[in-house]
Amino acid sequence: MISRINRRGLVLIGLVAVMAGCATAPPEKPPGVIAPPPAAASTPGAIYQPGQGLSLFQDRRARQVGDTVTVLLAEKTSAQKAAATTTSKEGGISLANPTLFGREVMDDGRPLLNASVDGSRSFDGSGASSQSNQLDGRITVTVTEVLGNGNLVIAGEKWLTINQGREYIRLAGVIRPDDVLPDNTVPSARVAQAQISYSGKGALADSNSQGWLLRVFNSPWFPF
Protein backbone atom coordinates (compact mmCIF):
# COMPACT_ATOMS: atom_id res chain seq x y z
CA MET A 1 0.00 0.00 0.00
CA ILE A 2 2.81 2.39 0.86
CA SER A 3 4.69 1.60 -2.34
CA ARG A 4 1.51 2.27 -4.36
CA ILE A 5 1.11 5.70 -2.71
CA ASN A 6 4.76 6.49 -3.37
CA ARG A 7 4.34 5.58 -7.02
CA ARG A 8 1.31 7.85 -7.34
CA GLY A 9 3.25 10.66 -5.69
CA LEU A 10 6.17 10.22 -8.10
CA VAL A 11 3.83 10.23 -11.09
CA LEU A 12 2.14 13.40 -9.83
CA ILE A 13 5.49 15.11 -9.28
CA GLY A 14 6.58 14.09 -12.77
CA LEU A 15 3.44 15.54 -14.35
CA VAL A 16 3.87 18.80 -12.45
CA ALA A 17 7.50 19.02 -13.59
CA VAL A 18 6.52 18.43 -17.22
CA MET A 19 3.78 21.08 -17.07
CA ALA A 20 6.18 23.53 -15.47
CA GLY A 21 8.75 22.90 -18.19
CA CYS A 22 6.18 23.40 -20.94
CA ALA A 23 4.72 26.58 -19.44
CA THR A 24 8.00 28.27 -18.55
CA ALA A 25 9.85 29.94 -21.41
CA PRO A 26 13.62 29.41 -21.56
CA PRO A 27 15.65 32.41 -20.36
CA GLU A 28 16.98 34.66 -23.07
CA LYS A 29 20.72 35.13 -23.27
CA PRO A 30 22.35 38.33 -24.51
CA PRO A 31 24.29 37.84 -27.75
CA GLY A 32 28.02 38.15 -27.82
CA VAL A 33 29.87 41.26 -28.89
CA ILE A 34 30.02 41.67 -32.67
CA ALA A 35 33.64 42.25 -33.66
CA PRO A 36 34.80 43.84 -36.91
CA PRO A 37 36.84 41.79 -39.37
CA PRO A 38 40.55 41.58 -38.53
CA ALA A 39 42.71 44.29 -40.01
CA ALA A 40 45.16 43.46 -42.75
CA ALA A 41 48.71 42.80 -41.69
CA SER A 42 50.96 45.84 -41.88
CA THR A 43 54.08 45.93 -44.00
CA PRO A 44 57.13 47.25 -42.14
CA GLY A 45 58.63 50.33 -43.79
CA ALA A 46 55.74 50.92 -46.19
CA ILE A 47 54.11 54.33 -46.45
CA TYR A 48 50.65 52.92 -47.22
CA GLN A 49 49.16 50.55 -44.65
CA PRO A 50 45.94 48.62 -45.52
CA GLY A 51 42.97 49.52 -43.32
CA GLN A 52 44.59 52.69 -41.96
CA GLY A 53 43.78 55.11 -44.75
CA LEU A 54 41.66 58.23 -44.28
CA SER A 55 39.51 59.49 -47.13
CA LEU A 56 39.06 63.22 -47.49
CA PHE A 57 35.45 62.69 -48.60
CA GLN A 58 34.24 60.37 -45.81
CA ASP A 59 32.99 61.09 -42.31
CA ARG A 60 32.74 58.91 -39.21
CA ARG A 61 29.31 57.51 -39.98
CA ALA A 62 28.78 53.73 -39.87
CA ARG A 63 29.40 52.00 -43.17
CA GLN A 64 31.06 48.61 -42.58
CA VAL A 65 30.76 45.54 -40.38
CA GLY A 66 31.69 46.28 -36.78
CA ASP A 67 30.83 49.99 -36.92
CA THR A 68 28.36 51.30 -34.39
CA VAL A 69 25.36 53.55 -34.94
CA THR A 70 22.95 55.08 -32.44
CA VAL A 71 19.25 54.53 -33.05
CA LEU A 72 16.92 57.24 -31.70
CA LEU A 73 13.85 55.44 -30.37
CA ALA A 74 10.67 57.42 -30.93
CA GLU A 75 7.99 54.77 -31.27
CA LYS A 76 4.36 55.60 -30.65
CA THR A 77 1.45 53.49 -31.82
CA SER A 78 -2.25 53.83 -31.25
CA ALA A 79 -5.00 51.59 -32.54
CA GLN A 80 -8.74 51.57 -32.02
CA LYS A 81 -11.39 49.26 -33.35
CA ALA A 82 -15.13 49.12 -32.80
CA ALA A 83 -17.82 46.91 -34.26
CA ALA A 84 -21.58 46.71 -33.80
CA THR A 85 -24.08 44.33 -35.36
CA THR A 86 -27.86 44.36 -35.07
CA THR A 87 -30.18 41.92 -36.87
CA SER A 88 -33.87 41.18 -36.54
CA LYS A 89 -36.36 39.00 -38.34
CA GLU A 90 -40.09 38.47 -37.98
CA GLY A 91 -42.35 36.01 -39.76
CA GLY A 92 -45.88 34.70 -39.58
CA ILE A 93 -48.20 32.29 -41.30
CA SER A 94 -51.91 31.66 -40.93
CA LEU A 95 -54.25 28.99 -42.34
CA ALA A 96 -57.95 29.67 -42.67
CA ASN A 97 -60.50 27.07 -41.72
CA PRO A 98 -61.11 24.95 -44.82
CA THR A 99 -64.51 24.46 -46.37
CA LEU A 100 -65.80 20.98 -47.18
CA PHE A 101 -68.90 20.40 -49.23
CA GLY A 102 -69.73 24.08 -49.01
CA ARG A 103 -69.53 24.20 -45.24
CA GLU A 104 -66.68 25.01 -42.84
CA VAL A 105 -65.37 22.29 -40.58
CA MET A 106 -66.85 23.25 -37.23
CA ASP A 107 -67.30 21.73 -33.81
CA ASP A 108 -70.09 23.28 -31.84
CA GLY A 109 -69.64 26.48 -33.79
CA ARG A 110 -65.82 26.54 -33.39
CA PRO A 111 -63.44 26.18 -36.37
CA LEU A 112 -61.30 23.06 -36.10
CA LEU A 113 -58.60 23.35 -38.79
CA ASN A 114 -57.57 26.99 -38.79
CA ALA A 115 -54.02 27.74 -37.49
CA SER A 116 -51.52 30.54 -37.27
CA VAL A 117 -47.78 30.67 -36.47
CA ASP A 118 -45.79 33.75 -35.57
CA GLY A 119 -42.04 33.95 -34.98
CA SER A 120 -39.42 36.61 -34.36
CA ARG A 121 -35.75 36.70 -33.55
CA SER A 122 -33.18 39.43 -32.97
CA PHE A 123 -29.45 39.79 -32.32
CA ASP A 124 -27.57 42.77 -30.94
CA GLY A 125 -23.81 42.60 -30.49
CA SER A 126 -21.04 45.15 -30.07
CA GLY A 127 -17.33 45.19 -29.31
CA ALA A 128 -14.53 47.72 -28.91
CA SER A 129 -10.76 47.50 -28.55
CA SER A 130 -8.04 50.11 -28.09
CA GLN A 131 -4.30 49.93 -27.56
CA SER A 132 -1.48 52.47 -27.34
CA ASN A 133 2.27 52.12 -26.84
CA GLN A 134 5.12 54.59 -26.53
CA LEU A 135 8.88 54.01 -26.34
CA ASP A 136 11.44 56.83 -26.20
CA GLY A 137 15.19 56.61 -25.78
CA ARG A 138 18.29 55.64 -27.68
CA ILE A 139 20.37 52.51 -28.17
CA THR A 140 23.71 52.02 -29.89
CA VAL A 141 23.85 48.95 -32.11
CA THR A 142 26.45 47.32 -34.32
CA VAL A 143 26.54 46.77 -38.08
CA THR A 144 26.48 43.00 -38.60
CA GLU A 145 26.29 42.81 -42.39
CA VAL A 146 26.57 45.00 -45.47
CA LEU A 147 24.04 44.02 -48.13
CA GLY A 148 24.70 44.05 -51.85
CA ASN A 149 22.83 47.33 -52.36
CA GLY A 150 24.82 49.04 -49.59
CA ASN A 151 22.17 48.83 -46.87
CA LEU A 152 23.38 47.95 -43.38
CA VAL A 153 22.01 45.18 -41.19
CA ILE A 154 22.16 46.28 -37.55
CA ALA A 155 21.55 44.47 -34.27
CA GLY A 156 22.23 45.11 -30.62
CA GLU A 157 20.77 45.36 -27.15
CA LYS A 158 21.22 47.19 -23.88
CA TRP A 159 20.90 45.55 -20.45
CA LEU A 160 20.27 47.51 -17.27
CA THR A 161 20.45 46.02 -13.78
CA ILE A 162 18.28 48.00 -11.37
CA ASN A 163 17.87 46.77 -7.78
CA GLN A 164 16.60 43.19 -8.09
CA GLY A 165 15.62 43.26 -11.73
CA ARG A 166 17.24 43.38 -15.16
CA GLU A 167 15.71 45.29 -18.07
CA TYR A 168 16.80 45.19 -21.67
CA ILE A 169 16.11 46.87 -24.99
CA ARG A 170 16.77 44.80 -28.10
CA LEU A 171 16.75 46.08 -31.66
CA ALA A 172 17.45 44.60 -35.09
CA GLY A 173 16.72 45.79 -38.61
CA VAL A 174 18.08 47.29 -41.84
CA ILE A 175 19.05 50.93 -42.46
CA ARG A 176 20.22 52.94 -45.43
CA PRO A 177 23.55 54.75 -45.16
CA ASP A 178 21.80 57.87 -46.52
CA ASP A 179 19.50 57.91 -43.48
CA VAL A 180 22.39 58.05 -41.01
CA LEU A 181 22.72 61.63 -39.77
CA PRO A 182 26.09 63.43 -39.55
CA ASP A 183 26.27 62.69 -35.79
CA ASN A 184 26.03 58.93 -36.57
CA THR A 185 22.43 58.57 -35.43
CA VAL A 186 19.36 57.29 -37.24
CA PRO A 187 15.67 57.62 -36.24
CA SER A 188 13.91 54.36 -35.45
CA ALA A 189 11.26 55.26 -38.04
CA ARG A 190 13.97 54.82 -40.70
CA VAL A 191 14.79 51.25 -39.64
CA ALA A 192 13.34 48.70 -42.06
CA GLN A 193 12.16 45.30 -40.84
CA ALA A 194 12.57 46.66 -37.32
CA GLN A 195 12.30 44.26 -34.41
CA ILE A 196 12.22 46.18 -31.14
CA SER A 197 11.81 44.44 -27.79
CA TYR A 198 11.62 45.98 -24.34
CA SER A 199 11.24 43.63 -21.41
CA GLY A 200 12.81 42.64 -18.13
CA LYS A 201 13.64 39.88 -15.73
CA GLY A 202 13.74 39.67 -11.97
CA ALA A 203 11.45 40.17 -8.99
CA LEU A 204 9.51 43.07 -10.55
CA ALA A 205 8.89 41.25 -13.83
CA ASP A 206 7.94 38.04 -12.03
CA SER A 207 5.39 39.85 -9.87
CA ASN A 208 3.63 41.13 -13.00
CA SER A 209 3.36 37.73 -14.68
CA GLN A 210 1.08 34.76 -14.04
CA GLY A 211 2.35 31.59 -12.45
CA TRP A 212 2.98 28.53 -14.59
CA LEU A 213 -0.03 26.64 -13.24
CA LEU A 214 -2.39 29.56 -13.92
CA ARG A 215 -0.96 29.89 -17.44
CA VAL A 216 -1.73 26.21 -18.03
CA PHE A 217 -5.36 26.71 -16.96
CA ASN A 218 -5.65 29.82 -19.17
CA SER A 219 -4.05 28.21 -22.22
CA PRO A 220 -6.22 27.21 -25.22
CA TRP A 221 -5.22 23.55 -24.61
CA PHE A 222 -7.15 23.44 -21.33
CA PRO A 223 -10.41 21.63 -22.17
CA PHE A 224 -12.63 23.31 -19.56
Side-chain angles (χ1 to χ4, degrees):
M1 183 66 179
I2 296 177
S3 61
R4 183 177 301 175
I5 295 176
N6 292 336
R7 291 178 182 175
R8 291 180 179 177
L10 292 176
V11 172
L12 181 59
I13 293 175
L15 291 176
V16 172
V18 171
M19 294 171 65
C22 295
T24 304
E28 299 183 8
K29 297 181 180 180
V33 177
I34 302 172
S42 60
T43 304
I47 297 177
Y48 171 76
Q49 299 293 340
Q52 298 183 6
L54 178 62
S55 175
L56 298 178
F57 305 99
Q58 291 182 351
D59 51 23
R60 305 299 297 176
R61 290 184 291 184
R63 60 176 46 88
Q64 61 184 359
V65 176
D67 291 348
T68 59
V69 59
T70 300
V71 179
L72 305 178
L73 299 174
E75 297 294 326
K76 184 176 181 180
T77 59
S78 178
Q80 294 183 355
K81 182 178 180 180
T85 303
T86 301
T87 61
S88 62
K89 183 176 182 180
E90 296 183 359
I93 184 173
S94 61
L95 298 176
N97 193 38
T99 302
L100 295 178
F101 304 106
R103 305 178 63 179
E104 293 186 4
V105 180
M106 307 286 287
D107 182 17
D108 294 336
R110 295 179 302 176
L112 290 179
L113 301 179
N114 63 337
S116 62
V117 178
D118 295 326
S120 64
R121 60 183 180 180
S122 62
F123 172 80
D124 188 2
S126 62
S129 175
S130 62
Q131 183 179 2
S132 61
N133 300 279
Q134 183 172 354
L135 178 62
D136 298 322
R138 57 178 58 199
I139 177 176
T140 301
V141 295
T142 307
V143 178
T144 62
E145 183 182 356
V146 179
L147 302 180
N149 59 356
N151 290 345
L152 308 177
V153 179
I154 58 174
E157 59 184 15
K158 178 192 295 185
W159 286 76
L160 300 175
T161 301
I162 303 175
N163 294 334
Q164 299 181 2
R166 300 188 65 194
E167 297 184 355
Y168 69 87
I169 301 176
R170 181 174 298 159
L171 184 143
V174 180
I175 61 174
R176 298 190 313 161
D178 296 341
D179 293 331
V180 181
L181 302 179
D183 59 349
N184 199 36
T185 60
V186 59
S188 60
R190 296 289 185 177
V191 180
Q193 302 179 11
Q195 300 181 13
I196 304 174
S197 302
Y198 175 67
S199 185
K201 298 179 181 295
L204 184 60
D206 294 341
S207 63
N208 290 328
S209 61
Q210 298 178 350
W212 64 267
L213 185 59
L214 186 58
R215 290 200 299 269
V216 171
F217 289 147
N218 290 334
S219 67
W221 298 101
F222 193 67
F224 303 105

